[in-house]
Amino acid sequence: MFTRQLSLVTMVLIGLFALYPFSSAMAQSEFVAVSDGGDTLCGLVDDGSVICNARTRVDNRTPAGLPPVTEVAAGLNSVCAVLSSGELTCWGSIAHGLLNHPTGQAPYRSVSISDSHACAINSTGAIDCWGFDRNDRLEAPEGDFVQLSLGVQQACAVDVNNRVACWGANDQGATDVPASLPDALKADASMGTSCALTTDREISCWGTPLAIPQGPFDDFQIEFQTICGLRSNGELSCAQTSFFGEGEVNEFSTPAGVRVSDYSVRGRRVCYVDDEGVIDCLGRSTQEIPVINGITPVPATTGLRADIYSLSAIELFWDAPRDAFNVAGHEIIRNGEVYAFTQNLSSFFIDDLVPGEAVTFSVQRVSVEDRRGAPSNSVSVNTDNNGAEGGSGGDVAAGDYQPPERPFEPTGLDAFVYGSTAIELVWDRVSSSQISGYEIRRDGEFIAFTNGVSFFEELAVGNKAFRYDVIPVNREDPSAFFGFSSITVGLGSASTGVCQ
């Protein structure tokens, strides 16, 4: 019964962005770097582990078994990282070929990613680019480069002689590096504008005119119409220009006393790591994506209660956490053992109870770093006498309960077994423009996202049974529960067939 309920409620997508599972982050205390891709926010922990959280792009979340990382770059559709071995790895959407990263010039020094292409500096100082080729943005100049930054349309880099080179779309002259530009420490690119931090610690830009904060700065970034500079005292000073230089300029800084060690500018939002290793954000749209925090204690869950709907169905309720942006979900503990995980913030439905059997439940919160808070109060439920000790009694008579509607539940789910370690799932496509694709889960754990109607997987172990769930994802509102389909697949002999 555990596997059935895990598949039922873990599919309730409520707009909280779970990480699956990342136990090595539990013991870590500080972030050292942050990268904001808009929909995806990634933090690099001080032990080389990475936590990536995503609002809608579930395939951008941290992949299981990711080796230690030295640099991570989050894009709109995908994430790329430089591993401690010097190899590149990318995950997320297969669109634009962003997962087809080069392998021949490791160790790589750094990586940068934009919406549809990426580039990395290899062991020789040359720049390798991949992804969607348009306006020659994959055609990096030759040279020995030490720093690199990609914009949506163009890119810029600094070589060992502190000279800036830019390539790609030349909108508004963004790739026409001024001949008078002094030696540079860093270059950055955005749509229609390119900038450099010169050796006199000032920001110089060309292309579309934007407001520039006054230095001196030790570092800077530009993204769309926002330019931020990092001062030697750790203060981050930003200027946002409306309507491409023709409108109002909004200036803002990090709070007084906050020292920034790393930061990432995306649109009109700026996320940063402070000197305590905590990630926070400022600017517009700061609540569009959860802030990941590696050191905040996980609070206990409070206010657990139960409503009884029938002889077999109940619903647990508890107080919703106030800091919801750091919550992956809640573990449901049944008779002292973890029974299921739910992304729901404040409720969990169960419909497999046995009349006359008393069952005790509690709930504990799980953070996005896979850390757990103290369990809630306990509730003992017996549906036969309509009682819930420690909670509320049910007002619905047995037999009156009706299960929730699942309007887009996938049909025709089957599994083909190839030998003892490979399976392929197939199902009927849901005919709705509201569906962006399907989550695939194995034994309750997210493993893939696809916009097709099949999924192939080769496992490392055979002679074992797994439960697979296929969940349609709402394009506009991933919190909507669209239903799911499940199938149990037994891997055994090397015969090929359909598992029912």
Side-chain angles (χ1 to χ4, degrees):
M1 303 305 291
F2 166 76
T3 56
R4 180 182 182 279
Q5 277 305 313
L6 189 62
S7 66
L8 175 62
V9 185
T10 54
M11 311 319 148
V12 182
L13 305 175
I14 61 156
L16 222 350
F17 324 101
L19 290 172
Y20 295 94
F22 195 70
S23 58
S24 64
M26 294 171 61
Q28 307 310 319
S29 60
E30 293 187 2
F31 287 99
V32 295
V34 62
S35 182
D36 187 354
D39 181 86
T40 304
L41 184 68
C42 292
L44 177 61
V45 188
D46 54 9
D47 70 339
S49 57
V50 170
I51 298 174
C52 289
N53 219 343
R55 181 164 58 100
T56 58
R57 298 207 64 86
V58 295
D59 43 352
N60 279 14
R61 298 169 185 161
T62 310
L66 182 69
V69 165
T70 60
E71 183 179 78
V72 62
L76 179 65
N77 303 302
S78 304
V79 181
C80 289
V82 179
L83 303 179
S84 59
S85 63
E87 300 287 340
L88 290 175
T89 186
C90 298
W91 63 91
S93 172
I94 63 174
H96 308 302
L98 281 170
L99 304 191
N100 299 327
H101 56 80
T103 59
Q105 294 294 332
Y108 283 87
R109 301 174 183 174
S110 65
V111 64
S112 182
I113 189 170
S114 186
D115 291 355
S116 57
H117 73 298
C119 296
I121 300 177
N122 66 35
S123 57
T124 68
I127 297 175
D128 297 330
C129 297
W130 65 99
F132 180 55
D133 190 4
R134 185 178 182 184
N135 297 322
D136 296 326
R137 57 188 171 193
L138 301 188
E139 305 302 321
E142 295 182 357
D144 186 354
F145 293 93
V146 295
Q147 184 267 327
L148 165 72
S149 176
L150 268 62
V152 174
Q153 298 291 344
Q154 87 277 12
C156 293
V158 178
D159 66 17
V160 292
N161 297 314
N162 300 109
R163 304 307 299 169
V164 174
C166 298
W167 66 98
N170 195 26
D171 295 345
Q172 307 298 317
T175 62
D176 294 333
V177 180
S180 59
L181 183 70
D183 288 351
L185 302 171
K186 180 180 179 179
D188 206 350
S190 183
M191 184 178 294
T193 305
S194 299
C195 300
L197 179 66
T198 61
T199 51
D200 60 2
R201 308 286 176 173
E202 296 293 339
I203 300 172
S204 178
C205 299
W206 55 97
T208 301
L210 299 177
I212 303 174
Q214 294 300 307
F217 296 113
D218 290 347
D219 192 74
F220 89 104
Q221 284 187 30
I222 175 174
E223 212 284 325
F224 193 41
Q225 295 162 263
T226 302
I227 303 176
C228 291
L230 181 64
R231 303 188 189 277
S232 58
N233 65 356
E235 179 189 44
L236 199 61
S237 297
C238 303
Q240 291 177 337
T241 307
S242 302
F243 306 110
F244 293 95
E246 299 177 359
E248 180 180 342
V249 176
N250 174 36
E251 297 183 357
F252 59 94
S253 300
T254 43
V258 173
R259 290 184 58 86
V260 173
S261 61
D262 192 65
Y263 62 103
S264 181
V265 184
R266 179 69 182 189
R268 293 181 174 271
R269 180 178 63 225
V270 182
C271 292
Y272 60 89
V273 181
D274 66 19
D275 55 358
E276 295 184 351
V278 177
I279 293 176
D280 204 349
C281 299
L282 50 85
R284 291 189 181 181
S285 305
T286 60
Q287 300 302 318
E288 287 185 358
I289 194 165
V291 174
I292 47 184
N293 186 331
I295 65 173
T296 301
V298 181
T301 303
T302 59
L304 181 65
R305 55 204 181 275
D307 280 352
I308 298 175
Y309 295 154
S310 74
L311 290 175
S312 61
I314 68 166
E315 190 164 10
L316 301 175
F317 297 91
W318 56 90
D319 299 336
R322 294 183 179 180
D323 55 338
F325 290 102
N326 196 38
V327 182
H330 293 81
E331 285 181 339
I332 310 302
I333 301 172
R334 179 172 177 167
N335 290 337
E337 297 182 356
V338 176
Y339 167 72
F341 174 84
T342 177
Q343 291 177 281
N344 204 330
L345 284 178
S346 59
S347 65
F348 182 81
F349 173 76
I350 300 168
D351 66 352
D352 66 345
L353 299 182
V354 177
E357 178 182 341
V359 183
T360 299
F361 293 96
S362 60
V363 175
Q364 65 182 7
R365 171 176 164 178
V366 181
S367 74
V368 294
E369 304 91 11
D370 199 33
R371 295 181 294 119
R372 284 150 182 78
S376 68
N377 57 294
S378 296
V379 172
S380 183
V381 178
N382 184 344
T383 60
D384 196 30
N385 60 22
N386 207 31
E389 182 181 349
S392 61
D395 298 326
V396 181
D400 287 350
Y401 169 74
Q402 296 294 324
E405 182 182 2
R406 301 167 190 164
F408 298 111
E409 185 167 311
T411 59
L413 177 61
D414 272 328
F416 292 85
V417 177
Y418 305 112
S420 60
T421 59
I423 66 100
E424 184 174 17
L425 304 176
V426 295
W427 60 92
D428 300 331
R429 183 179 295 277
V430 174
S431 299
S432 172
S433 60
Q434 294 177 268
I435 301 299
S436 63
Y438 304 86
E439 281 195 11
I440 310 297
R441 299 188 187 222
R442 183 192 337 105
D443 288 342
E445 177 184 339
F446 170 79
I447 57 173
F449 176 86
T450 177
N451 58 8
V453 289
S454 64
F455 171 75
F456 177 82
E457 180 178 37
E458 187 165 2
L459 298 156
V461 296
N463 300 315
K464 191 174 181 180
F466 298 94
R467 189 199 70 256
Y468 287 88
D469 306 301
V470 178
I471 314 107
V473 177
N474 187 338
R475 184 183 303 276
E476 299 296 331
D477 180 14
S479 67
F481 181 32
F482 272 10
F484 70 98
S485 291
S486 300
I487 191 169
T488 298
V489 182
L491 297 177
S493 63
S495 60
T496 302
V498 179
C499 289
Q500 300 294 341

